[in-house]
Amino acid sequence: MVLYKLEDFEPSYQESFDGHDIKGLGVYTQGSDEKVGTVSDVLVDEEGHFRYLIVDLGFWIFGKKVLLPIGRARVDYNVDRVYTIGLTREQAEDLPEFDERQTLDYDYEERVRGVYRQPTDSNLPVEAATPLDPLAGLDPLGAPVAPLGTTPTYARDSYTYENEPALYGLNEQDHQTLRLYEERLIANKRRQKTGEVTIGKRVETDTARVAVPVERERVVIERVTPADAGTAVSGREADFREGEVARIEIHEETPEIRKEAFLREEVRVRKVVDQDTVETQETVRREELDVNSANLPIEER
């Protein structure tokens, strides 16, 4: 049997108590009105039924926490108190200490139940003061009981909390209210990262060709026969000189290439939000009231 802390089982448990919080209430003995300690938490089973109150016995036994079965407690929100039924200081001292780091198994619960099964108050109801034995008769609530002075026996594999209503039952005399619960789907959404887009730039190289017309100069030598060729000339006209040179400058053009950067285009990056509707379904539970009246007249209001 797996047990859970109340808040772990139902985070919004206060809504079921009209905004009240059972944690933090003072625990008092019934009758003597002596303060025992404080409720530090509640343990429920897999179906959400209350099974134990975790009581910090700061006023009785400093620093010790014990389990109080819900059938041995009465919650009175009018005075913000929890009253224990039949718990004595001696029993509190005998109870095994509750430690969240230890495993809460059948053997540990049996040690707890063994203390509460010891009758200590003759004013307790019959079912609260009488140990239970599946092999014996039935108590007024229909649960099996064992005669006083005998040791109850239970099978580990078949034990249920219903075997001992004196410890785990919520009875009418303690003014308990049966609350019916149902589950509902709460739609919510969370934002999560699905990926990342990286946009960068790289440099690519290419070979560009350009044609540039250039000019080159060259010397052309022409030999021609003048019209007066063969005509005698005087000695003054015939000026023979050695080493006479004619100079002509030759030029040519060479291409001059340079690179120039210019803006080609602009890239703008942005993101848009697409909206969609996602439908999901889940199984929800709801508690319904089963009334076994044994053919007796029942009036529901």
Side-chain angles (χ1 to χ4, degrees), residues 134-184:
L135 302 178
L138 300 178
D139 67 6
L141 298 179
V145 299
L148 285 174
T150 62
T151 302
T153 57
Y154 300 96
R156 175 189 297 269
D157 297 333
S158 61
Y159 180 86
T160 64
Y161 293 112
E162 285 69 23
N163 289 143
E164 298 184 90
L167 297 181
Y168 304 105
L170 301 180
N171 50 68
E172 183 179 356
Q173 69 186 29
D174 290 333
H175 308 289
Q176 301 291 341
T177 300
L178 180 62
R179 297 177 181 268
L180 304 180
Y181 297 92
E182 68 175 312
E183 295 176 327
R184 61 184 178 184

Side-chain angles (χ1 to χ4, degrees), residues 182-186 281-286:
E182 68 175 312
E183 295 176 327
R184 61 184 178 184
L185 294 181
I186 305 298
Q281 64 181 22
E282 184 57 74
T283 302
V284 296
R285 299 175 297 175
R286 180 176 60 193

Side-chain angles (χ1 to χ4, degrees), residues 207-246:
T207 301
R209 291 180 172 82
V210 61
V212 180
V214 296
E215 293 181 352
R216 293 186 180 91
E217 296 178 344
R218 59 190 175 89
V219 176
V220 178
I221 301 175
E222 294 182 356
R223 292 184 178 186
V224 298
T225 301
D228 57 351
T231 306
V233 296
S234 63
R236 289 179 297 182
E237 291 182 44
D239 187 10
F240 291 92
R241 295 179 183 178
E242 186 177 355
E244 185 176 357
V245 178

